Amino acid sequence: MGPRMTRKGANRGGPWTAEEDLKLARAIEVHGPRMWKLVAVEAGLSRGGKSCRLRWLNYLRPNLKRGNISDQEEDLILRLHRLLGNRWSLIAGRLPGRTDNEIKNYWNTHLHRKVERTEKKNQSGCSHQEPLVDNGNGRSVTADEEEFRSLGHEVQIDRVDEGPLNSDWMSRFMELDESWFDFTFPM
DNA sequence: AATTTGCCCAACCGCAGACTC
DNA sequence: GGAGTCTGCGGTTGGGCAAAT
């Protein structure tokens, strides 16, 4: 049995070889990092478009950082995850040179347990996982939300209904606001 | 030294949304 | 507007490797 061919059998292509990487990179030079099905065919690879896309995004793309996630980055991941939940691509978008896959892996292997342990510690006291502060308007908000406000942004959500996955204000902020990021994670 | 255990992470799968005809 | 296809995302798997026994 070959490497990585056991799971649901046949089309697990296995690890990429240097030759495949080269072929893929050349095809992307010609066609650009889009139309992955075409890129896969043009590269002459026996892999699907999805596989090519993943390889490009996670390895071949220029300006990628690999490994060595700094304390600063870790802190940012923790904070963004608290706000956004498992929206790895959004989180990765705020960490230049990092991929969603890398962040997801890092979370699952390092941070998830760390957070669980911290929460267990805190469980004896306050059960709320996201400490609230008084924003001076008779309404409690999270520290991150308050920080966002302090930069002059309006936050209009109903906390009762808002889970981490449908925070409209946070989505808007993640897409549009650069100043919070620069403030949080100066490069 | 040999075996077991646990962690890391590359790569796949399934699904949903976007796009095209 | 419906069907078919493509793309992107999050969840999951399993091989490799180092540490522990």
Side-chain angles (χ1 to χ4, degrees), chain A residues 1-180:
Chain A
M1 182 139 55
R4 297 182 191 265
M5 289 297 281
T6 52
R7 187 168 164 261
K8 287 183 184 170
N11 28 348
R12 199 162 176 108
W16 281 71
T17 64
E19 192 188 350
E20 285 178 305
D21 283 345
L22 194 64
K23 285 179 177 176
L24 178 59
R26 280 180 181 154
I28 288 171
E29 252 178 52
V30 176
H31 300 285
R34 295 218 131 254
M35 298 188 290
W36 294 106
K37 204 173 178 180
L38 174 69
V39 165
V41 172
E42 289 293 313
L45 298 168
S46 54
R47 293 178 184 268
K50 284 173 82 166
S51 185
C52 292
R53 174 185 165 271
L54 203 66
R55 184 66 182 174
W56 171 256
L57 290 178
N58 290 334
Y59 287 91
L60 303 178
R61 199 158 49 111
N63 305 322
L64 274 181
K65 294 180 199 168
R66 304 293 312 283
N68 297 325
I69 289 183
S70 66
D71 291 346
Q72 234 181 353
E73 286 175 301
E74 182 180 307
D75 180 57
L76 185 58
I77 293 168
L78 283 165
R79 294 171 68 178
L80 289 173
H81 186 271
R82 197 166 66 227
L83 291 161
L84 296 165
N86 296 355
R87 291 200 280 186
W88 307 116
S89 60
L90 263 182
I91 295 172
R94 291 285 157 174
L95 288 153
R98 301 294 183 187
T99 69
D100 56 348
N101 207 34
E102 186 176 19
I103 290 167
K104 180 172 59 181
N105 281 333
Y106 190 74
W107 175 267
N108 286 335
T109 53
H110 295 87
L111 302 182
H112 188 57
R113 271 192 297 275
K114 205 170 175 177
V115 169
E116 268 185 351
R117 263 184 265 131
T118 310
E119 277 175 9
K120 268 187 184 170
K121 259 188 191 173
N122 294 341
Q123 231 168 20
S124 53
C126 178
S127 64
H128 203 294
Q129 65 181 89
E130 197 176 355
L132 298 176
V133 299
D134 192 337
N135 69 350
N137 295 321
R139 183 171 166 271
S140 294
V141 298
T142 68
D144 288 308
E145 202 178 316
E146 183 57 25
E147 187 174 309
F148 182 54
R149 280 178 187 281
S150 73
L151 289 162
H153 301 280
E154 258 315 299
V155 179
Q156 294 178 340
I157 60 168
D158 181 359
R159 290 209 63 83
V160 176
D161 295 325
E162 283 291 339
L165 293 176
N166 58 358
S167 293
D168 185 46
W169 71 270
M170 182 44 70
S171 297
R172 288 204 314 277
F173 139 65
M174 289 302 291
E175 281 156 19
L176 301 174
D177 186 80
E178 293 297 325
S179 62
W180 186 88

